[in-house]
Amino acid sequence: MEDLSLHMLDIMENSLAAQARRIDVRIDEDPQADLLTLEIRDDGKGMDARTLQRALDPFFTTRTTRDVGLGLSMLAESARATGGDMTVDSRPGQGTRVKATFRPGHIDMKPLGDIPQTIVTLLIGHPEVSLRYEHTAGGSSFEFDSNDLPEGSGPGVLRQVAERIRRGLDALAASAGKTRVTSSDRE
């Protein structure tokens, strides 16, 4: 995957496949420590220890639409390529937490990607999901919660959501003294 937003989307789709009704995504950028943390929590059905161990195997999936489950293993590899790591905590009936750490200063660090579009894509395909996104950088933070959207929000509202998130992330980047780069900026 070219950027972290695609990893995010894949993990959130896993959450939905596990019957999650609530997904919390948190990105924390700590430039002084050269650390970026991506955490995704859900309230899905969770996994027992055996399934959790197998979930990290790229040749295991519970999905019926494909024969491999590359999502978690590819996220782990992306994190490790930068000197970071990934952990997955899960218990049956209690949901799952995926936490990946990255070293943004490393040459193999992927860009964040188009997070606003990733969030809107998930909401368009799954309007029933409750999605909370929090992003901190350089002491500032931005939050979005789909529970704040009006009932039955259509495409116009979702375009506004994408723009609101984009402006929030741009403001975060500016407060941290950097320019936000997405994968589309590299093309």
Side-chain angles (χ1 to χ4, degrees):
M1 294 188 197
E2 291 182 25
D3 59 53
L4 295 184
S5 69
L6 295 176
H7 285 294
M8 260 176 54
L9 184 60
D10 188 65
I11 302 305
M12 291 187 298
E13 289 286 346
N14 288 347
S15 295
L16 294 169
Q19 302 169 353
R21 304 297 291 165
R22 174 86 179 165
I23 300 172
D24 294 313
V25 178
R26 179 176 168 81
I27 294 177
D28 184 27
E29 297 182 67
D30 184 347
Q32 291 189 338
D34 189 33
L35 185 66
L36 182 142
T37 303
L38 167 63
E39 184 174 349
I40 302 171
R41 292 178 181 254
D42 69 49
D43 66 351
K45 62 184 178 181
M47 297 177 272
D48 59 33
R50 183 170 184 266
T51 305
L52 178 57
Q53 184 178 11
R54 293 177 66 204
L56 299 173
D57 178 345
F59 300 104
F60 171 77
T61 184
T62 58
R63 291 185 184 179
T64 57
T65 56
R66 62 183 189 210
D67 295 330
V68 294
L70 296 173
L72 286 173
S73 62
M74 287 178 69
L75 178 59
E77 180 55 35
S78 292
R80 291 179 187 130
T82 71
D85 205 0
M86 185 188 80
T87 59
V88 181
D89 299 313
S90 188
R91 291 199 175 101
Q94 295 184 13
T96 299
R97 178 182 71 105
V98 176
K99 183 177 181 182
T101 57
F102 302 85
R103 297 288 178 192
H106 195 282
I107 193 168
D108 291 326
M109 180 66 188
K110 295 179 179 183
L112 285 175
D114 195 346
I115 289 176
Q117 189 59 49
T118 297
I119 291 170
V120 168
T121 297
L122 188 82
L123 293 174
I124 287 171
H126 303 278
E128 75 285 356
V129 72
S130 173
L131 176 64
R132 183 174 176 274
Y133 173 72
E134 181 180 357
H135 194 130
T136 61
S140 298
S141 70
F142 170 79
E143 294 182 26
F144 166 78
D145 194 324
S146 66
N147 289 329
D148 296 337
L149 294 175
E151 189 83 22
S153 297
V157 170
L158 292 176
R159 276 192 297 278
Q160 291 173 6
V161 165
E163 186 54 34
R164 178 175 158 226
I165 295 169
R166 198 171 318 285
R167 282 193 314 268
L169 293 179
D170 287 344
L172 272 181
S175 73
K178 63 179 190 173
T179 303
R180 192 169 67 87
V181 177
T182 67
S183 56
S184 61
D185 294 333
R186 297 182 318 180
E187 296 171 354

